[in-house]
Amino acid sequence: MDKKRPGEPSQDQDEGLGTSGPQLVLDIAEIRGTMLPSVGGKAANLGELAKAGLPVPGGFCLTTAAYRQALSAVGLESVLAALDEASASGTSASGMDASDTSASGMGASGMDQLNELAARARSLVLDAGVPDGIAEAVRSAYEDLGDNVPVAVRSSATAEDLPFASFAGQQDTFLNVVGVDSVLDAVSRCWASLWTDRAVNYRTTNGIDHGTVSLAVVVQEMVNAVTAGVMFTANPVTGNRHETVIDASPGLGEAVVSGAVNPDHYVVDAHRGAIAERAVGDRQVEIRAKPGGGTERLELPSQPGIEEPQPCLSDRQVLELAKLGLEVQEHYRAPQDTEWATDDNGKLWLTQARPITTLYPQTTRTPPAPGEHGFLNFSLAQGLTRPLTPMGLAGIRLIASSVAKTAAFDVPDPRSGPPAYYEAGQRIFFDFTAVLRSRVGRTIVPRVFDLMEARSAAIMRGLFDDPRFAVTIKTPRKLIRHVAPVAAKYRVPESLFRGLFRPSSAMRRVERLSTELRSTFSVPSGATPHQRLGHVQRILGEEVFATVPQVLPLPALGFAMLALVRRILGDQAPYSELQTVVRGLPNNVTTEMDLALWQVASEIREDPAAVASMVGRTPAELVEQYRAAKLPAAAQTGLERFLGKYGHRAVAEIDLGMPRWSDDPTHILGVIANYLRLSDGAEAPDQQFTQSALDADEQVARFVARARAKSPLHAVIVRLALDRTRRFAGLRELPKYNLVLGLSAARKQLLLIGNELVAAHRIERAEDIFFLDLDDVEIALAGEDLHEVVAERRAAYHQELRRRHIPRVLLSDGTEPEARPGRNEGKQRPGTLSGSPASAGLVSAPARVIMDPVGAHLEPGEILVAPSTDPGWTPLFLTAGGLVMEMGGANSHGAVVAREYGIPAVVGVPDATSRISTGQHITVDGAAGTITTENSGQ
């Protein structure tokens, strides 16, 4: 679609545009939600409210046609072109630089340039004023309201009050405007406010093209407000969809909206129709309309002698207001952020409604059983903060169905996932209500998550006291009924017995299983698209899970043996020394991969000319050279060798839609370039790894000696236990490694099908298939054109990529338990962030906040601060001085690899990526689980 710049004639024939030319003024009662391009978000919503019979003050809207006409020749085109160039050069292809955490993903110079361009645009608009023809239309409409009637003049942008971005407060509003000359001046200032620094930056952040945005202006009769404020029809802090939250203060609502006053605060339980919380504000500021126009801010002194001020709304008014809010929500079928006022006759008025864009989406399906349900974010447990593509979710549904069927759960439709599988915000959730209501579940699952994702474990335990999740399952019979079939089918007891008493045989069996699994992924080269789709379903729905219960018992045995040693030796086996035992572990495919990549860099370093030719180039330039086979010989052959073995891996690799390293080696070449910048005197990671293994052997010997002091039998047991720990603990990465092999095989088949669909003109390019699911692909193969479906899914996916806050647990009413007030109060000292200890050690160094490892720049010795990590991040660990993660537990991927490399690490640190800045000097204490911050800037 071509961009429509301000000043160009409108090509739309929307409502409100006559055949003889665009209509400049519309009565609010004539406006409908479909007219957003003509009237902007605010006016469209006001018109919808009026249409629904809700109490909206009368007025009119000066349409976007007037804005375009007025600014057709003021010179905005050059500013728009410069803004396009600044936005494009300041952000990466993904919309944000990997190592930048500013709101727009742009550096300081880029932000300064945006602000300068915004100022130029504002000057042009203000200098233009309101042309005579438009002024006459405004004059006529204003006079129809009455003689010098006080009005509110409010901006209404076309990129405003949208489902994904409210743009609240980005454009200006002028209250109690009296007289047509004052109205015209306010109109001009509203037009200019489309180009405030905050509005330009907000649009850039949300990926909205400046040239496609226009502004309408709403002129609305002022309510003689006795009390006013805001109302959210869902709790914007906790996400609870059954609570209405109201803030109120005497006078105009501007006092509440602008944050000038501590308002009265009410929370209404919508189910019971009762006030659940009430807090009276301090009343020290009031904003009132002045006679003759304008507003005044009154500082109200405290009133000694009055023990408790009275609320500005009666209980009846609060409940009436909440009822009105639910009518608005019902009309829009979504929670709303509204502004309201009561006049001197006690009548309620609505002055604005917009979607609440900050709420995390609810699950895409409703639990069949009544009552409250809890949903655990499995994406975060896998170290994945980003959304999954539609095909990625489809693949996970098949794998989850395979697991559930093996565990004797009923799965009517494998493509829809098992009964406990849910999705929200394009991420994976599981209903863990049964865990919360089970005595055994409460004992086992939080302990598992202590190791995987410690903050999720804490939230689980916090729900134990919630009466809605009271224990109803008191015996382990249900658990046994579902675990026993898996254990029997895959001979788990035999695996444990073999691992304990015949460890070499156990390792040979693991190697044989991995080889056999790879053979099941093959697909005949002459398969038809329908056959390939069947093979994708077979690989994901039958094959990839098989390796998990056959391999996982061995690392579980390894860690159980470590716990046994701790039990035998007690205080003689402190946590820090036990950690030493699991450093430099053999049989860990992730560390083997990282060291293989380091070996490639080491081979390149032997040729100084090769190093010089690579260090000065960007990863994209290196990729171009690699594909043209023009890299230095050591780099070309080394990378080919590495990708031949590990090319199936990727960042966010559980998503079928993510390119594998063999598809796009940009990340890997960027990591190699980072390795090449290490000074010659730096200790090589492979040497560190070897030393870690030697340290582990020495620590094992010390533990055995301490056990011998107890008895010879204790020494035998400790030696055997730690041998099994060293042999098997590293295998914890193998099940996922094999799963990703299966995902890569399925991805190749889907791309081949995608090529067929491109040839048949059903989609634009092969990669578009990842924005479909398996049912969609069958529809496309049957002849349906899915270009529009792909475009809609891509837009939704890229919008979800911008979400920064991801809940660990959701309740079925939308509540995020972690967001409940008071959960985190008083838990840490100022200047100290707390998390879970993951890898012992103490390091002080500059921090490097990285949101995406692809293209990231990490100086040797810097402390990596990340939202989470999966194996695709771990090549960065080789040069990191320490690790801080928002997600994870003591046995998550990042923690395990950090321990093996001997770098201090703390995981599960709330909001670490926003509370720590790149360049800030921090101290990470991996044993205490703390990060001490200093206030040094970049």
Side-chain angles (χ1 to χ4, degrees):
M1 182 179 294
D2 292 335
K3 297 176 183 177
K4 182 171 60 185
R5 303 290 194 181
E8 292 180 358
S10 173
Q11 301 299 313
D12 298 309
Q13 293 299 319
D14 296 302
E15 295 180 63
L17 300 184
T19 55
S20 60
Q23 194 167 341
L24 299 179
V25 173
L26 289 169
D27 190 285
I28 286 177
E30 300 172 356
I31 295 172
R32 300 293 178 264
T34 56
M35 298 167 64
L36 187 143
S38 301
V39 299
K42 190 178 280 92
N45 282 337
L46 289 170
E48 277 292 307
L49 294 174
K51 173 192 173 187
L54 295 165
V56 175
F60 63 90
C61 173
L62 188 64
T63 66
T64 57
Y67 171 83
R68 291 193 296 270
Q69 181 178 316
L71 305 180
S72 59
V74 301
L76 271 180
E77 285 297 323
S78 61
V79 177
L80 289 167
L83 280 169
D84 287 346
E85 184 178 346
S87 298
S89 63
T91 55
S92 66
S94 63
M96 182 171 286
D97 182 82
S99 60
D100 195 294
T101 58
S102 64
S104 65
M106 304 184 76
S109 60
M111 297 291 287
D112 289 343
Q113 186 180 7
L114 281 184
N115 294 343
E116 181 183 338
L117 291 168
R120 280 175 53 193
R122 288 197 302 275
S123 295
L124 290 171
V125 175
L126 287 171
D127 290 345
V130 182
D132 291 344
I134 296 172
E136 186 55 39
V138 171
R139 186 182 305 277
S140 176
Y142 176 68
E143 289 174 352
D144 287 344
L145 294 179
D147 184 22
N148 283 340
V149 62
V151 293
V153 182
R154 313 169 75 187
S155 305
S156 181
T158 53
E160 180 179 61
D161 295 351
L162 305 177
F164 61 87
S166 74
F167 281 71
Q170 299 306 312
Q171 282 84 45
D172 287 343
T173 288
F174 300 91
L175 300 176
N176 199 38
V177 179
V178 178
V180 70
D181 290 339
S182 296
V183 170
L184 290 172
D185 179 67
V187 165
S188 180
R189 293 183 181 279
C190 282
W191 285 346
S193 73
L194 189 63
W195 302 100
T196 60
D197 294 352
R198 62 182 184 271
V200 169
N201 290 330
Y202 194 89
R203 289 197 296 271
T204 302
T205 299
N206 284 277
I208 295 175
D209 190 296
H210 303 283
T212 62
V213 180
S214 293
L215 193 95
V217 180
V218 176
V219 179
Q220 200 174 14
E221 292 183 55
M222 282 287 293
V223 176
N224 185 20
V226 174
T227 306
V230 297
M231 170 171 58
F232 294 86
T233 64
N235 193 315
V237 176
T238 67
N240 191 324
R241 280 9 183 233
H242 300 153
E243 290 181 345
T244 297
V245 178
I246 299 167
D247 285 348
S249 187
L252 297 177
E254 176 66 15
V256 177
V257 174
S258 66
V261 67
N262 290 325
D264 291 2
H265 180 75
Y266 307 88
V267 177
V268 178
D269 185 325
H271 273 335
R272 295 188 295 117
I275 300 173
E277 296 178 29
R278 180 191 291 104
V280 178
D282 60 16
R283 310 293 177 73
Q284 293 185 4
V285 173
E286 186 174 325
I287 296 179
R288 295 176 181 166
K290 290 167 58 178
T295 61
E296 60 182 347
R297 175 186 172 118
L298 301 177
E299 303 286 343
L300 304 179
S302 58
Q303 301 180 37
I306 299 178
E307 294 184 1
E308 187 174 334
Q310 293 301 304
C312 61
L313 291 175
S314 67
D315 286 2
R316 178 184 59 79
Q317 287 177 308
V318 170
L319 295 176
E320 284 181 359
L321 191 52
K323 181 181 178 183
L324 180 62
L326 292 180
E327 290 180 37
V328 177
Q329 176 174 283
E330 185 176 344
H331 178 75
Y332 283 105
R333 300 178 183 271
Q336 297 291 302
D337 164 7
T338 68
E339 295 178 22
W340 56 271
T342 60
D343 64 19
D344 45 13
N345 293 318
K347 180 176 174 58
L348 279 172
W349 294 94
L350 289 168
T351 57
Q352 189 164 318
R354 62 169 74 92
I356 306 176
T357 60
T358 56
L359 294 174
Y360 192 81
Q362 291 189 276
T363 55
T364 53
R365 62 184 186 187
T366 303
E372 194 66 67
H373 285 251
F375 304 100
L376 183 69
N377 191 329
F378 189 73
S379 287
L380 290 186
Q382 289 296 308
L384 189 63
T385 56
R386 63 186 294 141
L388 277 75
T389 59
M391 188 61 77
L393 290 168
I396 296 297
R397 289 196 293 270
L398 283 177
I399 295 170
S401 295
S402 173
V403 176
K405 285 190 292 184
T406 306
F409 287 97
D410 183 33
V411 184
D413 178 16
R415 289 188 180 181
S416 297
Y421 176 91
Y422 287 79
E423 293 168 8
Q426 301 170 40
R427 293 168 179 87
I428 308 161
F429 285 79
F430 280 94
D431 186 341
F432 74 125
T433 309
V435 169
L436 295 172
R437 292 179 176 157
S438 163
R439 188 170 289 164
V440 175
R442 288 186 172 201
T443 301
I444 296 174
V445 176
R447 291 182 181 177
V448 172
F449 272 81
D450 282 336
L451 301 176
M452 290 177 61
E453 219 295 297
R455 287 171 63 191
S456 296
I459 299 169
M460 286 185 211
R461 292 186 175 99
L463 292 172
F464 289 174
D465 296 329
D466 191 323
R468 296 173 297 178
F469 299 109
V471 171
T472 57
I473 306 168
K474 299 182 179 180
T475 70
R477 282 181 297 179
K478 243 183 189 181
L479 177 66
I480 293 170
R481 189 164 71 241
H482 293 299
V483 171
V486 181
K489 179 175 181 178
Y490 294 107
R491 299 154 61 186
V492 170
E494 180 184 333
S495 294
L496 291 170
F497 184 87
R498 182 183 284 110
L500 192 59
F501 297 107
R502 300 175 57 199
S504 297
S505 172
M507 284 302 304
R508 287 194 298 272
R509 182 168 180 263
V510 166
E511 292 166 4
R512 186 172 65 254
L513 286 170
S514 295
T515 301
E516 291 171 354
L517 182 68
R518 285 173 174 80
S519 69
T520 66
F521 297 155
S522 62
V523 174
S525 58
T528 67
H530 283 97
Q531 289 171 336
R532 293 188 190 282
L533 195 62
H535 282 296
V536 168
Q537 181 139 343
R538 172 186 61 80
I539 291 169
L540 301 180
E542 300 173 19
E543 308 293 355
V544 295
F545 172 64
T547 186
V548 176
Q550 296 181 85
V551 173
L552 205 54
L554 292 178
L557 175 66
F559 284 107
M561 291 295 97
L562 195 65
L564 175 63
V565 170
R566 177 66 186 271
R567 189 173 184 84
I568 291 172
L569 295 179
D571 293 342
Q572 290 185 295
Y575 178 72
S576 59
E577 293 185 2
L578 287 170
Q579 277 195 331
T580 302
V581 173
V582 291
R583 285 183 174 159
L585 286 171
N587 306 316
N588 185 320
V589 289
T590 299
T591 54
E592 289 170 359
M593 174 189 75
D594 294 342
L595 292 172
L597 190 59
W598 175 260
Q599 180 60 32
V600 173
S602 298
E603 293 168 2
I604 298 170
R605 285 171 69 92
E606 294 176 4
D607 181 353
V611 174
S613 71
M614 293 183 66
V615 167
R617 297 187 181 274
T618 66
E621 291 171 332
L622 293 174
V623 169
E624 188 177 340
Q625 285 191 313
Y626 169 71
R627 288 176 173 156
K630 291 182 178 179
L631 282 176
Q636 190 74 30
T637 57
L639 188 57
E640 288 171 355
R641 182 179 71 245
F642 177 85
L643 294 178
K645 186 170 184 179
Y646 299 108
H648 65 284
R649 307 216 73 165
V651 175
E653 60 192 0
I654 66 169
D655 184 354
L656 273 169
M658 292 299 290
R660 308 292 109 172
W661 288 338
S662 55
D663 300 327
D664 182 5
T666 302
H667 173 48
I668 294 303
L669 280 162
V671 171
I672 290 174
N674 273 345
Y675 290 170
L676 294 178
R677 289 175 27 253
L678 276 173
S679 62
D680 291 336
E683 187 176 356
D686 53 350
Q687 295 172 4
Q688 293 179 35
F689 188 82
T690 301
Q691 184 59 52
S692 292
L694 293 173
D695 293 344
D697 290 340
E698 292 174 1
Q699 186 60 57
V700 168
R702 284 192 288 272
F703 281 144
V704 171
R706 292 170 192 172
R708 189 175 292 112
K710 289 178 175 288
S711 75
L713 179 60
H714 281 98
V716 170
I717 294 173
V718 167
R719 185 184 297 280
L720 181 144
L722 293 180
D723 174 80
R724 302 311 183 259
T725 296
R726 294 286 300 164
R727 284 178 188 262
F728 299 139
L731 291 174
R732 74 173 296 280
E733 298 284 311
L734 186 59
K736 184 175 182 181
Y737 181 87
N738 287 335
L739 182 147
V740 173
L741 274 171
L743 289 170
S744 181
R747 177 181 166 85
K748 288 178 181 176
Q749 298 306 311
L750 289 166
L751 283 171
L752 290 170
I753 299 169
N755 286 326
E756 298 275 354
L757 294 177
V758 170
H761 306 292
R762 312 283 161 67
I763 57 179
E764 186 174 346
R765 52 186 184 271
E767 291 78 8
D768 286 350
I769 197 169
F770 299 112
F771 291 90
L772 306 174
D773 61 23
L774 298 175
D775 292 339
D776 295 325
V777 173
E778 288 183 344
I779 291 171
L781 289 172
E784 191 78 21
D785 184 322
L786 295 184
H787 284 81
E788 287 189 11
V789 171
V790 168
E792 290 173 4
R793 302 261 181 87
R794 273 190 184 275
Y797 174 78
H798 285 291
Q799 186 57 46
E800 195 60 39
L801 275 174
R802 296 189 178 97
R803 189 183 299 278
R804 292 293 296 274
H805 171 67
I806 315 298
R808 285 165 171 76
V809 171
L810 277 178
L811 304 186
S812 49
D813 64 7
T815 298
E816 297 179 35
E818 196 174 23
R820 285 173 173 164
R823 262 192 62 86
N824 299 309
E825 289 178 3
K827 293 191 177 180
Q828 57 194 30
R829 299 187 307 275
T832 300
L833 308 181
S834 299
S836 298
S839 179
L842 191 71
V843 61
S844 295
R848 174 72 63 172
V849 180
I850 296 179
M851 306 304 295
D852 184 337
V854 178
H857 179 83
L858 182 70
E859 289 289 343
E862 287 184 326
I863 296 170
L864 171 61
V865 182
S868 65
T869 62
D870 64 8
W873 285 74
T874 56
L876 293 174
F877 289 20
L878 291 181
T879 56
L883 173 67
V884 177
M885 288 166 40
E886 292 183 337
M887 320 297 177
N891 210 21
S892 57
H893 290 287
V896 169
V897 177
R899 283 197 297 272
E900 294 200 16
Y901 292 160
I903 61 174
V906 180
V907 300
V909 182
D911 306 317
T913 60
S914 58
R915 299 171 72 179
I916 298 172
S917 303
T918 292
Q920 185 177 18
H921 202 86
I922 65 174
T923 299
V924 174
D925 187 336
T930 60
I931 301 99
T932 305
T933 62
E934 298 178 13
N935 293 323
S936 58
Q938 293 189 27

